[in-house]
Amino acid sequence: MFSSAIVPLLPAHAAMLLVLLPTVGPGNRQESPLARTTTNQLLKGLQLQLGTAIHVLKVDEGSHPAVVHAFDGRGVPAFVLLRDGAELWRQQGLPEGAPMAALLLSKLAEAGG
């Protein structure tokens, strides 16, 4: 924990988009390596569109199962938009052709941020 003297000096944190992803592997509940590459490219483009307003953070179920299960009630992949620990929005699955950056920024604006 940071001392109270340091906390005011820390930069304000942007909102965070957790992208909960299945493990990469051959199983039917896993993502193929090719699909993960495509997902990574999509998320990199999304981060560029969001700039500093929202930080995109990928969380792999295989590496961090407790984190994924703590946020996920219905399966992966999923998006969870957070600010200051509060959930602002959630979507199951990955976006398909939707203007995701605009949607996320509007959800952040609706929440006063």
Side-chain angles (χ1 to χ4, degrees):
M1 197 72 189
F2 296 110
S3 77
S4 59
I6 294 175
V7 172
L9 302 176
L10 295 175
H13 294 285
M16 183 175 299
L17 179 67
L18 292 182
V19 182
L20 308 173
L21 297 169
T23 302
V24 173
N28 64 350
R29 295 198 59 190
Q30 297 176 331
E31 189 174 43
S32 73
L34 180 58
R36 179 56 61 91
T37 298
T38 301
T39 299
N40 287 340
Q41 290 172 344
L42 176 122
L43 296 175
K44 184 177 180 180
L46 179 60
Q47 182 63 77
L48 288 172
Q49 292 175 4
L50 294 171
T52 60
I54 300 173
H55 179 72
V56 177
L57 180 64
K58 296 181 291 186
V59 182
D60 186 278
E61 186 175 31
S63 301
H64 305 287
V67 175
V68 170
H69 294 291
F71 281 97
D72 180 37
R74 294 164 271 177
V76 289
F79 282 167
V80 181
L81 180 61
L82 303 167
R83 190 180 63 215
D84 297 327
E87 184 174 324
L88 303 178
W89 175 81
R90 177 183 292 254
Q91 172 181 307
Q92 293 302 117
L94 294 174
E96 295 182 16
M100 186 53 63
L103 174 66
L104 291 167
L105 293 170
S106 74
K107 296 295 179 184
L108 190 58
E110 287 173 13

